[in-house]
Each structure stands twice: as structure tokens, then as C-alpha cells.
Amino acid sequence: MAVPTNRKAILLAIFIAFGFLFGYDIGVISGCLIMDDFVARFGKIGSDGKPFLSSSRQSIITSLLSAGTFVGALGQAFTSDRFGRKGSILIWSGIFTIGTAIQTGTTFSIVQITIGRFIAGLGVGALSAIVPLYNGETSPKALRGMLLVLYQLQIIIGIFISYIIDLGTHSIANSASWRIPVGLQMLWGLILLSGIFFLPESPRHLLGQGKEAEARTVIAQLNSVPEDDLLVVETIEELEYAIRAENEGGKATWIECFSTRNMLWKRTLNGMMLQFIQQLNGQNFYYYYGDTFFQSAGTELSPFVIQTILGAVSVVGTVPALYLIETWGRRNSLLTGSILEAICSLIAGLVGHFTLAPPNTPQDQLTVRNRQGGDTLIAFAVLHLFSYSMFWGPTPWVYLGESFPLRVRPKAIALGSATNWIWNFLLSFFAPRIAARIGPLILLIFFGMLVFGYVYVYLFIPETKGLSLEEVDEMYRSGVKPWNSAGWRPAQKHVHDHHSEAELKEPLPMEVRDVKEKGEETA
């Protein structure tokens, strides 16, 4: 028997997650909003004769990407099964690239740039659901949790790269200042479009289509073993058994995600609520509007330099999550993050409100108090983003990926992803309008949400670390209180990883029994 290695599967996961440098698209726009050429082309002329971007125009330009992502996250459900995971990634990567090209080719039309961002958002939203699904179906079981954190890390890396490029191009005196950073997004799409021809299809999808020989080849390649290896045989049998057992009750519906069986309604609601709270942590306010916000803080640092620092902090903060997610646990990560971020939001909001000068105050009129207040606000923004990146950034995605039975998992994850994007859209649309009225006090809204998040996690989110899908089912049925769930252990070991306790009590169809018995004989 050959010694299996996961090197190819890991490299595949890293490459396909490269498409998640779409985090670049989230970050790049914040720098463009204060570039002179961008403001001159897409802003209005003020009473002083100078161009400016109103808060309404800022919100429209920024939020249309998020509107597209919501539509794309739902739309991918119609392509993943019909065209396969690989074909679906190809389709949506192409749409993303087209949207980026439309933005780059814009001259003076704010309509064109917003339409381009909406189209690019379609690709971003679809990939946000397809890529984790693809990775989950091609990655080794023991690495899935880490690879979900890796997915968040690559989003943050994309944002960081966008800040660096904005920093390098913002001083160019013509449209290249923003066309270069915006146009570079086409590179990510083109890399995915070219690389997709070398990627294997998901073995689970192939088996679902009755293509066992192709699935066998893919599994052997991903584990670097021959096709007749025992590992390949066992994996094929396990997947076939899971697919048949999953299809036994007919096609799963969206309504089933909210059924009372195994407390699915509570689990789906928890997944959606964590995504909702994550979006209102306050981090995206800094990502989207940090440059504009910090300009009024009176700091001597360039707002582009500050954004680059924030991006670097976010990358560094996400790295420990790769370790903490399995040692500190999901529940403790969320509770700790809520406390740390709430403290940062409260202090930054109050300091900003009482010390910052009014917006657009000339630099030479800023007092020492104004500048010290600005420096304090930026310091707590850095701490906020570091805490977010370590705890609330990756953990809701990990929880979403491991809380549902195989049968409804794709739909439940889609509901969570769609929740994430709709609140991302609402935040990016309304935040500049709210900030224009109340200034730094907007941070107190995020403080309130983080306090709510702590209470919600404490009362409703159980610890799922180290549990199989069936054990999560059993934990929810047991009625254990979430605050006692960390010490909960299953009553007995399950007979089969893809077999719920309820299913064990019922006779299996003959074809499913045959597959199961065959697998047990092989083992």
C-alpha cells in the first residue's frame, strides 16, 4: 500500500482559494475614493469650485459590489450541480473578469463603474460559496477546519495587497492612479480561468453523476496513490454510501433547513446570526471608508499608509487563528473577540467624538488635542482589526462549515453566505450616510452590536470543536446548554460517519446496505 500524502490536495486548495484575493476588490475601492483623478471624474463640483465625492456617491460606488455578491451567492446554486464545481468556477470567474474590465474602461460615467462593480460582485458572491464547497469536497478531512481559516486569510491578504498598490499609485497625476489597482483585479480572474483547465472535478460531484472511474482517478491523484490503492477503494465506497443515504429521502429543500428535525432551524439560524453579527463588528467600516475617515483624524501619516498598516495588522492577526481555532475553540474565540472589539469600538468612538476636529478642517488649524485624538482613534482601530482577524473573522465561517448534516449543508451554507453579503451591502450603503451625520459615534453602533454578539454567543452558540456531523446532531438533540457544551461528550460512538442516530433505527434500502457491508468487509 502506497503512503498517501496530502500535498496535491493542499496545493489545489491554496490555488483555488487564490480566487479569494477578491478581498482585494473590497479593499481597493477605499483608496480610490480619495484619489484626485477618481474624485474629479466621478464626484460633483462643490461650492468652492473643487470636486468632491458626496457620501451618497461613495455608498453607491462601494455597495453595488456587495449587492452583486448577494445575487451571485444565490445564483451559484443553479450552476454548481448542473455544470459541476469546476465548470461553475469557470463561469463565475469569467463574469468577475468582465465586471472588472467594465470598471477599468470607465471614463467619466459613475453609472458604468457601479454596473461594473455589480457584475464583478456576481462573480465574487458565487465564488464565495462555490470555492469552500469545492475545497471541502477535495480536501482531507483533518485539514478542513484549517483550510476554512486559510480561506479567510487569503481574503485578508487580498485586502492588504490592494492597500499596498493603492499606496504605490495614488500619487500618479492621471487616471492610472486608480485604473492600475482596479484593473489588476483582472489578473486574479484570468489566473483562475487559465488554471481551472488543470483542476480536477470534485469526486463527490462525479460520483453523483455516475462517473465512478473519473472519481477514482481524482481521489488517487489528490492522495498521490495508485487507483487500486485501499485508500481509494474505501473513499469511493464511503462517498457512494453517503450519496445514496443522502438521496434516500428525496431532494433536500430550502424549507428543510428550518425544520425541527435535529434542531435544524436553530442551527441554520445560528449560522445566519453569526454572519450577521460578523458584518456589524465594525471592521468593514475601516476597510471601506478608513481612508476617508482617517483624513479627518488629523494624523501626520498619509491615509494610504494607515490603510496599509491596517491591512498588515489584519494579515498578522489571522495567522494565529489557524492554531487557536482548534485549541481555544469556536465558542471561546467568539466570546473573547466580542469583548476585545467592544472595548476598542467604545474607546475609539468616544475619543473620536470628543477630540476630533470637524470634517475638512485645514491641517494647519488642527490643535494638539485634535491630533492626539486622531492618533488614539487609529491605535484602537488597529487593535480592533487585530482582534477581529484572530476571532470573529474566521470563526463564523468555520462554524458554518461544520454545523450541518451532509444532506442540507450546501443550502445551509448558502443561506449563511447570503446573510453575510446582504448585511455587507447594507453596511456599505448606509455607513457613510450615518458617519456623515454622527461622525465617530458610528463606532458606538458597532459597540452595541458586539455586546449583543457576546450575549447571543453565550446563550445560543454551542462548542462544535472536535465533533463529527452526527455528534453535532446528537448534541443538539441532547438539549445541553450552550454554556455547558464544551464539556459535552457523545453517549456512544456512531457506527458510521455518515449515519445519524435516527437513520440507524430504520432499515436501510437494499442497495445502501450492500454498499455499507462491502465497505465494512474491505475495512
Side-chain angles (χ1 to χ4, degrees):
M1 180 175 175
V3 178
T5 65
N6 300 132
R7 185 175 63 254
K8 290 183 179 179
I10 293 172
L11 290 174
L12 171 64
I14 291 173
F15 173 81
I16 199 65
F18 186 80
F20 271 95
L21 284 177
F22 78 76
Y24 179 100
D25 200 39
I26 293 174
V28 75
I29 196 63
S30 65
C32 294
L33 292 177
I34 59 171
M35 290 181 183
D36 292 341
D37 188 85
F38 191 90
V39 173
R41 289 172 181 270
F42 307 112
K44 298 178 179 179
I45 302 298
S47 57
D48 57 358
K50 295 180 180 180
F52 75 102
L53 267 180
S54 64
S55 59
S56 61
R57 291 203 172 199
Q58 286 185 38
S59 65
I60 290 172
I61 292 172
T62 305
S63 63
L64 260 290
L65 175 84
S66 302
T69 56
F70 174 74
V71 177
L74 297 177
Q76 61 79 29
F78 300 97
T79 60
S80 291
D81 289 333
R82 181 170 182 179
F83 301 105
R85 309 330 185 213
K86 177 179 174 179
S88 199
I89 292 171
L90 177 65
I91 292 169
W92 294 103
S93 297
I95 291 174
F96 170 75
T97 306
I98 291 171
T100 303
I102 292 173
Q103 293 175 65
T104 309
T106 308
T107 52
F108 294 96
S109 172
I110 189 173
V111 174
Q112 184 177 337
I113 199 165
T114 51
I115 289 176
R117 283 183 62 77
F118 179 82
I119 294 174
L122 293 174
V124 169
L127 290 171
S128 74
I130 300 169
V131 174
L133 181 63
Y134 180 86
N135 273 349
E137 293 179 346
T138 57
S139 302
K141 291 180 182 178
L143 298 177
R144 283 178 186 164
M146 187 187 73
L147 288 175
L148 281 168
V149 176
L150 178 65
Y151 143 72
Q152 173 70 16
L153 177 61
Q154 292 193 259
I155 293 176
I156 298 298
I157 289 174
I159 293 173
F160 177 51
I161 291 175
S162 76
Y163 292 160
I164 292 177
I165 294 175
D166 278 349
L167 176 64
T169 65
H170 78 277
S171 59
I172 298 176
N174 54 46
S175 65
S177 60
W178 59 270
R179 288 190 199 276
I180 291 174
V182 170
L184 272 175
Q185 294 171 96
M186 287 188 284
L187 179 61
W188 319 141
L190 292 173
I191 289 175
L192 268 182
L193 284 169
S194 60
I196 200 69
F197 296 106
F198 304 100
L199 296 175
E201 181 54 87
S202 157
R204 194 178 189 286
H205 178 75
L206 289 171
L207 282 175
Q209 298 294 311
K211 301 176 181 179
E212 181 178 333
E214 293 180 38
R216 190 180 300 275
T217 300
V218 171
I219 293 170
Q221 290 175 346
L222 291 175
N223 290 278
S224 302
V225 295
E227 290 188 28
D228 59 355
D229 190 86
L230 182 60
L231 172 66
V232 178
V233 174
E234 290 177 342
T235 303
I236 288 288
E237 290 173 344
E238 181 180 332
L239 286 173
E240 286 182 333
Y241 171 78
I243 290 170
R244 292 183 187 182
E246 177 185 352
N247 293 336
E248 181 185 349
K251 189 173 180 64
T253 64
W254 292 96
I255 297 298
E256 190 173 334
C257 295
F258 298 95
S259 68
T260 56
R261 183 173 61 85
N262 292 340
M263 304 295 283
L264 280 178
W265 68 271
K266 182 180 288 187
R267 295 151 76 171
T268 300
L269 181 63
N270 279 348
M272 295 172 70
M273 283 297 294
L274 287 182
Q275 295 293 331
F276 158 62
I277 297 168
Q278 184 210 54
Q279 281 301 305
L280 291 179
N281 266 214
Q283 79 290 344
N284 277 349
F285 177 74
Y286 293 121
Y287 289 146
Y288 282 133
Y289 304 108
D291 287 349
T292 306
F293 195 59
F294 293 135
Q295 261 191 336
S296 63
T299 177
E300 295 180 2
L301 289 175
S302 158
F304 292 97
V305 173
I306 295 171
Q307 283 292 78
T308 304
I309 293 172
L310 294 181
V313 166
S314 298
V315 172
V316 173
T318 307
V319 173
L322 294 166
Y323 173 77
L324 290 174
I325 198 69
E326 296 298 343
T327 55
W328 194 242
R330 284 64 160 149
R331 184 177 161 86
N332 283 338
S333 292
L334 294 172
L335 292 173
T336 305
S338 296
I339 294 173
L340 294 177
E341 290 178 62
I343 292 172
C344 293
S345 292
L346 178 63
I347 295 176
L350 293 177
V351 168
H353 176 68
F354 289 110
T355 65
L356 292 189
N360 302 317
T361 300
Q363 292 285 317
D364 57 2
Q365 295 181 22
L366 295 175
T367 65
V368 173
R369 177 185 174 86
N370 296 151
R371 295 185 184 279
Q372 289 177 342
D375 291 341
T376 303
L377 187 149
I378 292 167
F380 279 97
V382 167
L383 292 174
H384 185 132
L385 288 180
F386 186 84
S387 301
Y388 168 81
S389 300
M390 194 182 302
F391 299 118
W392 270 94
T395 307
W397 291 106
V398 174
Y399 186 88
L400 196 65
E402 65 186 7
S403 295
F404 305 103
L406 189 65
R407 177 175 167 79
V408 299
R409 190 193 298 174
K411 288 182 170 61
I413 291 176
L415 287 170
S417 297
T419 302
N420 181 287
W421 288 119
I422 192 62
W423 282 101
N424 185 294
F425 164 72
L426 292 172
L427 175 72
S428 59
F429 186 80
F430 288 107
R433 290 171 163 82
I434 297 172
R437 288 177 175 269
I438 65 175
L441 288 180
I442 190 175
L443 297 174
L444 298 188
I445 296 176
F446 304 132
F447 164 75
M449 180 52 62
L450 287 160
V451 172
F452 168 76
Y454 181 93
V455 174
Y456 187 89
V457 170
Y458 185 83
L459 294 178
F460 299 110
I461 302 297
E463 180 58 71
T464 56
K465 181 186 72 172
L467 300 179
S468 70
L469 297 181
E470 287 71 30
E471 288 167 347
V472 172
D473 284 343
E474 184 179 337
M475 179 177 66
Y476 271 95
R477 287 198 306 270
S478 73
V480 64
K481 301 299 183 185
W483 50 89
N484 295 326
S485 61
W488 181 87
R489 294 293 179 270
Q492 59 181 7
K493 184 174 178 59
H494 293 276
V495 176
H496 197 286
D497 284 345
H498 295 285
H499 215 36
S500 72
E501 184 178 303
E503 290 171 334
L504 285 171
K505 295 177 181 177
E506 300 175 1
L508 293 171
M510 181 63 71
E511 59 177 359
V512 178
R513 268 207 313 274
D514 290 345
V515 175
K516 180 180 184 299
E517 290 167 1
K518 183 180 177 183
E520 290 172 345
E521 290 170 5
T522 304

